[in-house]
Structure formats: C-alpha cells, structure tokens
Amino acid sequence: SITALACPIARPSDRPDARPPMSCAAHRSPAAAAAGLLLSLAAAFGGGVAAQSCAADTCPQQRPRDARDQALLQTNAGLSAVQAHDHEAHRASELERPLAARCLVVTELADTGRHRNQFQAVFHPSWRQMVDDPSPGNYTVDLMAFCEPAACDIVPAECLELAEMESPDPLGPARCYFQRLRESYAKSVPYKFGLSLNFMTTTSFAAVAKSYAYIMRSDADAVLLPGLRHWVPEHGSAVGDGFAGTDFTYKRLEKVAKKLGYHHHGIHGMQSTFYVRASKIGTFSGMLVNLSNHFYDEEFTPLICKEVESQGGHCAWADWYRLVSTLYATDIAANHLLGEPAFSHEQVSAKLDHCATSCYSKEYGDNGFLAASPFKARDVAQVHLLSTKHHLGKHFLTASTKEEFCTSAKETWPGLQAPRTQDWGTADESVNTYFLRVLSGSLPKMCNY
C-alpha cells in the first residue's frame, strides 16, 4: 500500500519500502537507462503469450489429472455431499474444456507480521473462494506469491514451489504457486515500496510469464473477486482507478514525462494494481521500476522542491510526495506503453483497486467502506483494502503479529464469523458480502477456533 497519515491514501508505515537498484550509471539520462532496460526485458520475456481461441479438435490436449489436481479437488473438507459433487464436476470441467485465456495474479510477500496476516486472511483465501465457485467462468486464474525467504513458511501447502527459471503448467485447473526470493532481496534497495515491483524484472519472472496471456500485480492487502474469472481488460491492459494527487500533481507528471522523452495522453488517477497482457508485462515492469527509481532519486531534491514551492505546490502529500514514487511511475509508464494504440480513459478501471480511494463512509470519515460499493462481486476483479483495513472492526488487518491479529479479530466477532446477509453466497452477492464470507472462512483457521 502507498499511503500517508495526512490523508486517506497515504500511510507510509503500511509496508517496508524499497526501490530496485538503478539500472544505469548516474551520468546516463533516465530515458537512455529505460531504453536499455526495456530492450533487455523484452528479450527475456520473448513476447509473452497472447490470448488464443481454437476449435476443440485443434487445441492442445489437456494433460491427465495428476495427484496435484486431485489435491485441489479436496480443499474444503466441510463441503456437503452435494456441494462436493458440484465442486468435483466444476474441477473436471476445467480440465476438459479449453478456456479463452489463462491468467496469473502475482504478489510480493514481505516478511512482516502484517503482510503475513493479510495474505493468510484475505489474499489467498479470496483466490481459493473464487476458483472454488462451481459457476462457469471464461478464464482460469492462477495465483503466485514471490516471497521473501522467511515468509514462505506461511504459504499454504496446496501451493507448488517453482524453482528459478521454472515455468508453470499452462494446462489444467487453477493452481497456486510460490517462488523464494533471494536472501538479499529485502535489503537490496532503500525505497521499500519498490520491492513490490522489483521481482517482475527478473529472468525467473519472465519464465513464469510465458505460461500466461494476462498477468495482474496486486499488493497482498487485497481481495480477489469472481470478476477475474469473467473479465480481462477490454483494451489489452488496465490500471486500477483511484486518487493519486491534485491537478498540480498531474500537470507536473506530464512535464516530467515530456522531459524524459515519454508520450503522455493526459490520463491520470491511477492506483498500484495493474492487469497487463503477458506480451507487455516485462517491458511495462521494467519501465515502471526504472521510473520509480528516477522519481525517488531525482524528483525530490532540494532544488526540485524549491521549484515546486515557487509554482504554488508543496513537496508533501498530495501535491508532490516522494513516498508515492511508484504511483507517479505508474502514471507515466501506463500512458507511454499500455495504449493499443493510444492509452485511453477506459483503461483506468474501477474493477481494480476497487474502493481503495472511494466507497466513502461518514462513520469512517474515510474511504474503503465496502458496503457502499454499488457493484456485485462478479463485476469486480480486485478490491484493494488500502483504507478498509484501518477501519474494519478492531483493526485486525493492520495487526503486526499473529497474536494481536487473533485477539483483535475475536474482539470484532467473538465467534470469528461475520454477520450473514441475505445475499450470502448467491449469484448476486455484493462486494462486501463476498469479502465477509472470505473472512468467515479464514479467521477460524488462522486463529485455531
């Protein structure tokens, strides 16, 4: 999360923060540095995977179900006999019919108590709830965590470990994977927010990307919803919608883009989640990392801040704020690279980072009140709990230890079960009900209730 105490969307203490190492020496221009990095990444990713359609008799044959597939069919011991039969039939249908595209959701799992708790309580369980839905879907959605080594121990047993340079199986039912980052990863860079992106510029990530048509990057404080099984970006790629600064911010971003030699289409208001064609993910990630480094190192110097002040702005949230360098990088990289052919307003989607900087609550005095969302769970791909986690119940989603998490969760709901609503588990389930249903399944398991 990229947030500060001064406003609903800027709390720098939300995660450990770091930028990836600069890809160029100080004497090289940012544009030249970016060009070199982008070329090398494009070569590593080899063009990615495009969505394909084919007649049944010309599609690759699905491989036989193996023990891993069978384990995925037995994930919910609490299912009734009828539910278990439907669950098995759903998994069998996934094996037997080709889908339009296979997609991957990735996150970097930091070794902090807060991120461990959020991954176990919401991120992975919401994916599991989504793929266990027996209703038909258009896309197979895999999940993968790139974890700091000490954090890998909380990844569920169903998730398969991939070695460096190993590619996932592109056939069969939805699966969960993880890969261990190197021991030096968390300490490799000073800008900690950059850690959530840096792994996407490696050759190991390129090997993973080749198995997919689309890849979504999300923070771990997020809910994955059924919309992921029914939607991929209409224009090839999409970025999450949300407040990222003032008019001053946006005008200055356009000036920086021009200075660095990048195209900008005047489209702003993006948050941190992106859903991109695999054929573009390497190039986009490389540019995003390079620009994040540039902003953090070059755009908040005393001289630059003096210029900002002289133009009526402030080197602080929400005008020009160093700790959201990755958001500024996303703005420029999306405008420059994600258009097909030109980046459009339609590519800034409310289906991603949903309620991150909207869904206002008078009770909260802040955004993130999921009950205010007008959408059904099936119409949204991802909810970012940027503000929600600071207000829900006794704030268990911001707890820094497992013990604190469970204590606060029990104070919120003594039986660790959220109040049930009329749309609980229905086809018309709301975003909020889906989220509460996830927690009602994960909290008892986490807290041994």
Side-chain angles (χ1 to χ4, degrees), residues 184-241:
S184 60
Y185 185 82
K187 299 178 181 179
S188 61
V189 288
Y191 177 43
K192 299 296 181 183
F193 286 125
L195 287 176
S196 66
L197 301 170
N198 196 30
F199 70 91
M200 300 182 75
T201 65
T202 65
T203 52
S204 286
F205 180 77
V208 169
K210 289 177 181 178
S211 295
Y212 297 96
Y214 294 87
I215 296 178
M216 187 181 97
R217 190 219 70 90
S218 172
D219 288 335
D221 59 336
V223 188
L224 305 177
L225 287 91
L228 277 171
R229 296 179 62 233
H230 303 283
W231 172 79
V232 293
E234 297 88 348
H235 302 277
S237 300
V239 182
D241 176 55

Short mmCIF file of all heavy atoms in Angstrom, two decimals, residues 184-241:
data_model
loop_
_atom_site.label_atom_id
_atom_site.label_comp_id
_atom_site.label_asym_id
_atom_site.label_seq_id
_atom_site.Cartn_x
_atom_site.Cartn_y
_atom_site.Cartn_z
N SER A 184 19.01 -11.72 -0.12
CA SER A 184 19.41 -10.31 -0.17
C SER A 184 18.30 -9.39 -0.67
O SER A 184 18.45 -8.17 -0.65
CB SER A 184 20.64 -10.15 -1.07
OG SER A 184 20.34 -10.60 -2.40
N TYR A 185 17.17 -9.95 -1.11
CA TYR A 185 16.14 -9.16 -1.80
C TYR A 185 15.64 -7.99 -0.96
O TYR A 185 15.61 -6.85 -1.41
CB TYR A 185 14.97 -10.06 -2.20
CG TYR A 185 13.91 -9.36 -3.02
CD1 TYR A 185 14.08 -9.20 -4.39
CD2 TYR A 185 12.76 -8.86 -2.43
CE1 TYR A 185 13.12 -8.56 -5.16
CE2 TYR A 185 11.79 -8.22 -3.18
CZ TYR A 185 11.98 -8.07 -4.54
OH TYR A 185 11.03 -7.43 -5.30
N ALA A 186 15.24 -8.25 0.27
CA ALA A 186 14.61 -7.22 1.09
C ALA A 186 15.56 -6.10 1.46
O ALA A 186 15.12 -4.98 1.77
CB ALA A 186 14.03 -7.84 2.36
N LYS A 187 16.86 -6.37 1.42
CA LYS A 187 17.84 -5.36 1.82
C LYS A 187 18.57 -4.75 0.63
O LYS A 187 19.51 -3.98 0.81
CB LYS A 187 18.86 -5.99 2.78
CG LYS A 187 18.25 -6.54 4.06
CD LYS A 187 19.30 -7.20 4.94
CE LYS A 187 18.69 -7.76 6.22
NZ LYS A 187 19.71 -8.43 7.08
N SER A 188 18.12 -5.09 -0.56
CA SER A 188 18.87 -4.70 -1.76
C SER A 188 18.68 -3.25 -2.16
O SER A 188 19.48 -2.71 -2.93
CB SER A 188 18.51 -5.62 -2.93
OG SER A 188 17.11 -5.50 -3.22
N VAL A 189 17.63 -2.60 -1.68
CA VAL A 189 17.31 -1.25 -2.15
C VAL A 189 16.74 -0.40 -1.02
O VAL A 189 16.11 -0.91 -0.10
CB VAL A 189 16.30 -1.33 -3.31
CG1 VAL A 189 16.94 -1.87 -4.57
CG2 VAL A 189 15.10 -2.17 -2.92
N PRO A 190 16.96 0.92 -1.06
CA PRO A 190 16.47 1.79 0.01
C PRO A 190 14.98 2.15 -0.08
O PRO A 190 14.36 2.43 0.93
CB PRO A 190 17.34 3.04 -0.13
CG PRO A 190 17.75 3.06 -1.56
CD PRO A 190 17.88 1.62 -1.97
N TYR A 191 14.40 2.15 -1.29
CA TYR A 191 12.99 2.54 -1.45
C TYR A 191 12.14 1.28 -1.33
O TYR A 191 11.93 0.54 -2.28
CB TYR A 191 12.79 3.23 -2.80
CG TYR A 191 11.36 3.61 -3.10
CD1 TYR A 191 10.55 4.19 -2.13
CD2 TYR A 191 10.82 3.40 -4.36
CE1 TYR A 191 9.23 4.55 -2.41
CE2 TYR A 191 9.51 3.76 -4.66
CZ TYR A 191 8.72 4.32 -3.67
OH TYR A 191 7.42 4.68 -3.94
N LYS A 192 11.58 1.04 -0.15
CA LYS A 192 10.94 -0.23 0.15
C LYS A 192 9.68 -0.50 -0.67
O LYS A 192 9.36 -1.65 -0.93
CB LYS A 192 10.59 -0.30 1.64
CG LYS A 192 11.78 -0.21 2.57
CD LYS A 192 12.72 -1.38 2.39
CE LYS A 192 13.91 -1.32 3.33
NZ LYS A 192 14.86 -2.42 3.12
N PHE A 193 8.94 0.53 -1.07
CA PHE A 193 7.75 0.28 -1.88
C PHE A 193 8.12 -0.40 -3.20
O PHE A 193 7.33 -1.13 -3.78
CB PHE A 193 7.00 1.58 -2.19
CG PHE A 193 6.24 2.14 -1.01
CD1 PHE A 193 6.46 3.44 -0.59
CD2 PHE A 193 5.32 1.36 -0.32
CE1 PHE A 193 5.76 3.96 0.49
CE2 PHE A 193 4.62 1.87 0.76
CZ PHE A 193 4.84 3.18 1.17
N GLY A 194 9.32 -0.14 -3.66
CA GLY A 194 9.77 -0.75 -4.91
C GLY A 194 9.92 -2.25 -4.84
O GLY A 194 9.94 -2.93 -5.87
N LEU A 195 10.01 -2.81 -3.63
CA LEU A 195 10.13 -4.26 -3.50
C LEU A 195 8.94 -4.99 -4.09
O LEU A 195 9.05 -6.14 -4.52
CB LEU A 195 10.29 -4.64 -2.03
CG LEU A 195 11.64 -4.33 -1.38
CD1 LEU A 195 11.59 -4.67 0.10
CD2 LEU A 195 12.76 -5.09 -2.06
N SER A 196 7.79 -4.34 -4.09
CA SER A 196 6.59 -4.99 -4.63
C SER A 196 6.61 -5.10 -6.14
O SER A 196 5.74 -5.73 -6.73
CB SER A 196 5.34 -4.21 -4.18
OG SER A 196 5.32 -2.92 -4.76
N LEU A 197 7.62 -4.49 -6.78
CA LEU A 197 7.73 -4.50 -8.24
C LEU A 197 9.00 -5.16 -8.75
O LEU A 197 9.01 -5.73 -9.84
CB LEU A 197 7.70 -3.06 -8.78
CG LEU A 197 6.47 -2.21 -8.46
CD1 LEU A 197 6.73 -0.76 -8.86
CD2 LEU A 197 5.26 -2.75 -9.18
N ASN A 198 10.07 -5.08 -7.98
CA ASN A 198 11.39 -5.43 -8.49
C ASN A 198 11.48 -6.86 -9.00
O ASN A 198 12.18 -7.15 -9.98
CB ASN A 198 12.43 -5.21 -7.38
CG ASN A 198 13.85 -5.18 -7.91
OD1 ASN A 198 14.09 -4.77 -9.03
ND2 ASN A 198 14.78 -5.60 -7.09
N PHE A 199 10.77 -7.80 -8.38
CA PHE A 199 10.85 -9.20 -8.80
C PHE A 199 10.34 -9.40 -10.23
O PHE A 199 10.69 -10.39 -10.88
CB PHE A 199 10.04 -10.09 -7.84
CG PHE A 199 8.55 -9.92 -7.93
CD1 PHE A 199 7.80 -10.72 -8.78
CD2 PHE A 199 7.89 -8.97 -7.17
CE1 PHE A 199 6.42 -10.57 -8.87
CE2 PHE A 199 6.52 -8.81 -7.25
CZ PHE A 199 5.77 -9.61 -8.10
N MET A 200 9.55 -8.46 -10.74
CA MET A 200 8.96 -8.60 -12.07
C MET A 200 9.93 -8.24 -13.20
O MET A 200 9.59 -8.34 -14.37
CB MET A 200 7.70 -7.74 -12.18
CG MET A 200 6.63 -8.14 -11.17
SD MET A 200 5.10 -7.18 -11.32
CE MET A 200 4.39 -7.94 -12.80
N THR A 201 11.15 -7.85 -12.83
CA THR A 201 12.14 -7.53 -13.86
C THR A 201 13.20 -8.63 -13.99
O THR A 201 14.20 -8.45 -14.67
CB THR A 201 12.84 -6.19 -13.53
OG1 THR A 201 13.60 -6.33 -12.32
CG2 THR A 201 11.83 -5.08 -13.38
N THR A 202 12.98 -9.77 -13.36
CA THR A 202 13.97 -10.85 -13.39
C THR A 202 13.69 -11.84 -14.51
O THR A 202 12.56 -11.96 -14.99
CB THR A 202 13.98 -11.61 -12.05
OG1 THR A 202 12.71 -12.26 -11.88
CG2 THR A 202 14.21 -10.66 -10.88
N THR A 203 14.71 -12.58 -14.89
CA THR A 203 14.52 -13.62 -15.91
C THR A 203 13.65 -14.76 -15.38
O THR A 203 12.96 -15.43 -16.15
CB THR A 203 15.88 -14.17 -16.37
OG1 THR A 203 16.65 -14.58 -15.23
CG2 THR A 203 16.66 -13.10 -17.14
N SER A 204 13.66 -14.99 -14.07
CA SER A 204 12.81 -16.03 -13.49
C SER A 204 11.33 -15.65 -13.64
O SER A 204 10.49 -16.50 -13.92
CB SER A 204 13.15 -16.24 -12.00
OG SER A 204 14.36 -16.94 -11.87
N PHE A 205 11.02 -14.37 -13.46
CA PHE A 205 9.65 -13.94 -13.66
C PHE A 205 9.26 -14.06 -15.13
O PHE A 205 8.14 -14.43 -15.47
CB PHE A 205 9.44 -12.51 -13.18
CG PHE A 205 8.03 -12.02 -13.37
CD1 PHE A 205 7.03 -12.41 -12.51
CD2 PHE A 205 7.70 -11.20 -14.44
CE1 PHE A 205 5.72 -12.00 -12.69
CE2 PHE A 205 6.40 -10.78 -14.64
CZ PHE A 205 5.40 -11.18 -13.75
N ALA A 206 10.21 -13.76 -16.01
CA ALA A 206 9.94 -13.89 -17.45
C ALA A 206 9.58 -15.34 -17.80
O ALA A 206 8.71 -15.59 -18.63
CB ALA A 206 11.16 -13.44 -18.25
N ALA A 207 10.26 -16.28 -17.15
CA ALA A 207 9.96 -17.70 -17.41
C ALA A 207 8.54 -18.05 -16.95
O ALA A 207 7.83 -18.82 -17.60
CB ALA A 207 10.98 -18.58 -16.69
N VAL A 208 8.11 -17.47 -15.86
CA VAL A 208 6.74 -17.68 -15.37
C VAL A 208 5.73 -17.06 -16.33
O VAL A 208 4.72 -17.66 -16.68
CB VAL A 208 6.58 -17.07 -13.96
CG1 VAL A 208 5.11 -17.03 -13.54
CG2 VAL A 208 7.40 -17.86 -12.94
N ALA A 209 6.00 -15.86 -16.77
CA ALA A 209 5.05 -15.11 -17.60
C ALA A 209 4.73 -15.80 -18.91
O ALA A 209 3.63 -15.63 -19.46
CB ALA A 209 5.59 -13.70 -17.87
N LYS A 210 5.63 -16.61 -19.41
CA LYS A 210 5.42 -17.26 -20.70
C LYS A 210 4.26 -18.25 -20.70
O LYS A 210 3.79 -18.66 -21.77
CB LYS A 210 6.71 -17.96 -21.14
CG LYS A 210 7.81 -16.97 -21.54
CD LYS A 210 9.11 -17.68 -21.91
CE LYS A 210 10.19 -16.67 -22.29
NZ LYS A 210 11.48 -17.32 -22.61
N SER A 211 3.79 -18.64 -19.53
CA SER A 211 2.67 -19.60 -19.45
C SER A 211 1.31 -18.92 -19.49
O SER A 211 0.29 -19.61 -19.45
CB SER A 211 2.78 -20.42 -18.15
OG SER A 211 3.93 -21.23 -18.16
N TYR A 212 1.28 -17.57 -19.58
CA TYR A 212 0.01 -16.86 -19.39
C TYR A 212 -0.28 -15.86 -20.51
O TYR A 212 0.61 -15.44 -21.24
CB TYR A 212 0.04 -16.13 -18.05
CG TYR A 212 0.15 -17.09 -16.90
CD1 TYR A 212 1.40 -17.39 -16.34
CD2 TYR A 212 -0.97 -17.76 -16.41
CE1 TYR A 212 1.52 -18.32 -15.32
CE2 TYR A 212 -0.86 -18.68 -15.38
CZ TYR A 212 0.38 -18.96 -14.84
OH TYR A 212 0.49 -19.88 -13.84
N ALA A 213 -1.56 -15.52 -20.60
CA ALA A 213 -2.00 -14.50 -21.55
C ALA A 213 -2.06 -13.13 -20.90
O ALA A 213 -1.82 -12.11 -21.54
CB ALA A 213 -3.37 -14.86 -22.12
N TYR A 214 -2.42 -13.09 -19.60
CA TYR A 214 -2.53 -11.83 -18.86
C TYR A 214 -1.95 -12.03 -17.46
O TYR A 214 -2.06 -13.11 -16.88
CB TYR A 214 -3.99 -11.39 -18.71
CG TYR A 214 -4.66 -11.02 -20.01
CD1 TYR A 214 -5.29 -11.99 -20.79
CD2 TYR A 214 -4.67 -9.69 -20.46
CE1 TYR A 214 -5.90 -11.66 -21.98
CE2 TYR A 214 -5.28 -9.36 -21.66
CZ TYR A 214 -5.90 -10.34 -22.41
OH TYR A 214 -6.51 -10.01 -23.60
N ILE A 215 -1.37 -10.95 -16.92
CA ILE A 215 -0.81 -11.00 -15.57
C ILE A 215 -1.25 -9.76 -14.80
O ILE A 215 -1.15 -8.64 -15.29
CB ILE A 215 0.72 -11.10 -15.60
CG1 ILE A 215 1.15 -12.42 -16.27
CG2 ILE A 215 1.30 -10.99 -14.19
CD1 ILE A 215 2.62 -12.61 -16.41
N MET A 216 -1.74 -10.00 -13.60
CA MET A 216 -2.14 -8.92 -12.71
C MET A 216 -1.20 -8.87 -11.52
O MET A 216 -0.93 -9.90 -10.90
CB MET A 216 -3.57 -9.11 -12.20
CG MET A 216 -4.11 -7.94 -11.40
SD MET A 216 -5.80 -8.22 -10.81
CE MET A 216 -5.46 -8.80 -9.15
N ARG A 217 -0.69 -7.67 -11.21
CA ARG A 217 0.10 -7.49 -9.99
C ARG A 217 -0.75 -6.79 -8.95
O ARG A 217 -1.40 -5.78 -9.22
CB ARG A 217 1.34 -6.63 -10.26
CG ARG A 217 2.32 -6.62 -9.07
CD ARG A 217 2.95 -5.27 -8.84
NE ARG A 217 2.00 -4.30 -8.32
CZ ARG A 217 1.75 -4.09 -7.03
NH1 ARG A 217 2.35 -4.79 -6.10
NH2 ARG A 217 0.87 -3.16 -6.66
N SER A 218 -0.74 -7.32 -7.74
CA SER A 218 -1.53 -6.76 -6.65
C SER A 218 -0.71 -6.77 -5.37
O SER A 218 0.16 -7.62 -5.18
CB SER A 218 -2.81 -7.59 -6.44
OG SER A 218 -3.52 -7.21 -5.27
N ASP A 219 -1.01 -5.83 -4.48
CA ASP A 219 -0.49 -5.92 -3.12
C ASP A 219 -1.24 -7.04 -2.41
O ASP A 219 -2.32 -7.48 -2.84
CB ASP A 219 -0.69 -4.60 -2.38
CG ASP A 219 0.25 -3.50 -2.88
OD1 ASP A 219 1.32 -3.83 -3.42
OD2 ASP A 219 -0.11 -2.31 -2.74
N ALA A 220 -0.70 -7.49 -1.27
CA ALA A 220 -1.33 -8.60 -0.54
C ALA A 220 -2.53 -8.17 0.28
O ALA A 220 -3.32 -9.03 0.70
CB ALA A 220 -0.29 -9.27 0.36
N ASP A 221 -2.69 -6.88 0.52
CA ASP A 221 -3.87 -6.41 1.27
C ASP A 221 -5.02 -6.18 0.29
O ASP A 221 -5.52 -5.08 0.11
CB ASP A 221 -3.55 -5.14 2.06
CG ASP A 221 -3.07 -3.99 1.19
OD1 ASP A 221 -2.55 -4.25 0.08
OD2 ASP A 221 -3.21 -2.82 1.62
N ALA A 222 -5.44 -7.27 -0.33
CA ALA A 222 -6.43 -7.18 -1.40
C ALA A 222 -7.31 -8.42 -1.42
O ALA A 222 -6.92 -9.49 -0.94
CB ALA A 222 -5.74 -7.00 -2.75
N VAL A 223 -8.49 -8.25 -2.00
CA VAL A 223 -9.46 -9.32 -2.16
C VAL A 223 -9.59 -9.63 -3.65
O VAL A 223 -9.80 -8.71 -4.45
CB VAL A 223 -10.84 -8.92 -1.61
CG1 VAL A 223 -11.79 -10.12 -1.60
CG2 VAL A 223 -10.72 -8.31 -0.22
N LEU A 224 -9.47 -10.88 -4.03
CA LEU A 224 -9.64 -11.29 -5.42
C LEU A 224 -11.07 -11.79 -5.58
O LEU A 224 -11.52 -12.65 -4.83
CB LEU A 224 -8.63 -12.37 -5.78
CG LEU A 224 -7.17 -11.98 -5.53
CD1 LEU A 224 -6.24 -13.13 -5.86
CD2 LEU A 224 -6.79 -10.72 -6.32
N LEU A 225 -11.77 -11.25 -6.57
CA LEU A 225 -13.21 -11.49 -6.70
C LEU A 225 -13.54 -12.25 -7.98
O LEU A 225 -12.72 -12.35 -8.91
CB LEU A 225 -13.97 -10.16 -6.66
CG LEU A 225 -14.03 -9.50 -5.27
CD1 LEU A 225 -12.87 -8.56 -5.07
CD2 LEU A 225 -15.34 -8.75 -5.09
N PRO A 226 -14.79 -12.76 -8.08
CA PRO A 226 -15.20 -13.57 -9.24
C PRO A 226 -15.08 -12.86 -10.58
O PRO A 226 -15.03 -13.53 -11.61
CB PRO A 226 -16.66 -13.91 -8.93
CG PRO A 226 -16.76 -13.87 -7.45
CD PRO A 226 -15.83 -12.76 -7.03
N GLY A 227 -15.05 -11.54 -10.58
CA GLY A 227 -14.87 -10.83 -11.85
C GLY A 227 -13.63 -11.26 -12.60
O GLY A 227 -13.58 -11.18 -13.83
N LEU A 228 -12.63 -11.77 -11.89
CA LEU A 228 -11.41 -12.24 -12.54
C LEU A 228 -11.67 -13.43 -13.45
O LEU A 228 -10.92 -13.64 -14.42
CB LEU A 228 -10.36 -12.62 -11.49
CG LEU A 228 -9.51 -11.50 -10.91
CD1 LEU A 228 -8.70 -12.00 -9.73
CD2 LEU A 228 -8.60 -10.91 -11.98
N ARG A 229 -12.69 -14.21 -13.16
CA ARG A 229 -12.99 -15.37 -13.99
C ARG A 229 -13.85 -15.01 -15.20
O ARG A 229 -14.13 -15.87 -16.04
CB ARG A 229 -13.70 -16.44 -13.15
CG ARG A 229 -12.81 -16.99 -12.03
CD ARG A 229 -13.54 -18.04 -11.19
NE ARG A 229 -13.91 -19.18 -12.00
CZ ARG A 229 -15.14 -19.68 -12.07
NH1 ARG A 229 -16.14 -19.11 -11.40
NH2 ARG A 229 -15.40 -20.73 -12.81
N HIS A 230 -14.27 -13.77 -15.27
CA HIS A 230 -15.19 -13.35 -16.35
C HIS A 230 -14.67 -12.15 -17.15
O HIS A 230 -15.33 -11.75 -18.12
CB HIS A 230 -16.55 -13.00 -15.75
CG HIS A 230 -17.17 -14.10 -14.97
ND1 HIS A 230 -17.78 -15.19 -15.56
CD2 HIS A 230 -17.24 -14.32 -13.63
CE1 HIS A 230 -18.22 -16.01 -14.63
NE2 HIS A 230 -17.91 -15.52 -13.45
N TRP A 231 -13.53 -11.59 -16.77
CA TRP A 231 -13.09 -10.34 -17.39
C TRP A 231 -11.57 -10.29 -17.54
O TRP A 231 -10.84 -10.68 -16.63
CB TRP A 231 -13.54 -9.16 -16.53
CG TRP A 231 -13.00 -7.82 -16.94
CD1 TRP A 231 -13.44 -7.02 -17.96
CD2 TRP A 231 -11.92 -7.10 -16.32
NE1 TRP A 231 -12.71 -5.86 -18.01
CE2 TRP A 231 -11.77 -5.88 -17.02
CE3 TRP A 231 -11.07 -7.37 -15.25
CZ2 TRP A 231 -10.81 -4.92 -16.68
CZ3 TRP A 231 -10.09 -6.42 -14.91
CH2 TRP A 231 -9.98 -5.22 -15.62
N VAL A 232 -11.15 -9.87 -18.70
CA VAL A 232 -9.78 -9.39 -18.89
C VAL A 232 -9.91 -8.01 -19.52
O VAL A 232 -10.95 -7.67 -20.08
CB VAL A 232 -8.94 -10.33 -19.79
CG1 VAL A 232 -8.71 -11.67 -19.11
CG2 VAL A 232 -9.59 -10.51 -21.16
N PRO A 233 -8.90 -7.17 -19.40
CA PRO A 233 -9.03 -5.79 -19.89
C PRO A 233 -9.46 -5.72 -21.35
O PRO A 233 -8.85 -6.35 -22.22
CB PRO A 233 -7.63 -5.22 -19.68
CG PRO A 233 -7.09 -6.00 -18.52
CD PRO A 233 -7.62 -7.39 -18.72
N GLU A 234 -10.51 -4.94 -21.60
CA GLU A 234 -11.05 -4.82 -22.95
C GLU A 234 -10.06 -4.24 -23.95
O GLU A 234 -10.11 -4.53 -25.14
CB GLU A 234 -12.30 -3.94 -22.94
CG GLU A 234 -13.47 -4.48 -22.13
CD GLU A 234 -13.40 -4.07 -20.66
OE1 GLU A 234 -12.34 -3.56 -20.23
OE2 GLU A 234 -14.41 -4.24 -19.94
N HIS A 235 -9.16 -3.41 -23.46
CA HIS A 235 -8.18 -2.75 -24.34
C HIS A 235 -6.78 -3.32 -24.15
O HIS A 235 -5.79 -2.63 -24.39
CB HIS A 235 -8.20 -1.24 -24.08
CG HIS A 235 -9.54 -0.62 -24.30
ND1 HIS A 235 -10.00 -0.23 -25.55
CD2 HIS A 235 -10.55 -0.35 -23.43
CE1 HIS A 235 -11.22 0.27 -25.43
NE2 HIS A 235 -11.58 0.21 -24.16
N GLY A 236 -6.71 -4.56 -23.70
CA GLY A 236 -5.42 -5.23 -23.60
C GLY A 236 -4.75 -5.13 -22.25
O GLY A 236 -4.12 -6.07 -21.80
N SER A 237 -4.89 -3.98 -21.61
CA SER A 237 -4.28 -3.76 -20.30
C SER A 237 -5.12 -2.76 -19.53
O SER A 237 -5.83 -1.94 -20.13
CB SER A 237 -2.84 -3.22 -20.44
OG SER A 237 -2.02 -4.12 -21.16
N ALA A 238 -5.05 -2.83 -18.20
CA ALA A 238 -5.79 -1.89 -17.36
C ALA A 238 -5.00 -1.60 -16.09
O ALA A 238 -4.19 -2.42 -15.64
CB ALA A 238 -7.17 -2.44 -17.00
N VAL A 239 -5.26 -0.41 -15.54
CA VAL A 239 -4.64 0.02 -14.28
C VAL A 239 -5.78 0.39 -13.33
O VAL A 239 -6.83 0.88 -13.76
CB VAL A 239 -3.71 1.23 -14.51
CG1 VAL A 239 -3.04 1.66 -13.21
CG2 VAL A 239 -2.65 0.90 -15.55
N GLY A 240 -5.57 0.16 -12.03
CA GLY A 240 -6.61 0.46 -11.06
C GLY A 240 -6.92 1.94 -10.95
O GLY A 240 -6.02 2.79 -11.02
N ASP A 241 -8.19 2.23 -10.77
CA ASP A 241 -8.66 3.61 -10.65
C ASP A 241 -8.51 4.10 -9.21
O ASP A 241 -8.75 3.36 -8.27
CB ASP A 241 -10.14 3.65 -11.06
CG ASP A 241 -10.76 5.03 -10.88
OD1 ASP A 241 -10.22 5.99 -11.43
OD2 ASP A 241 -11.77 5.12 -10.16
#
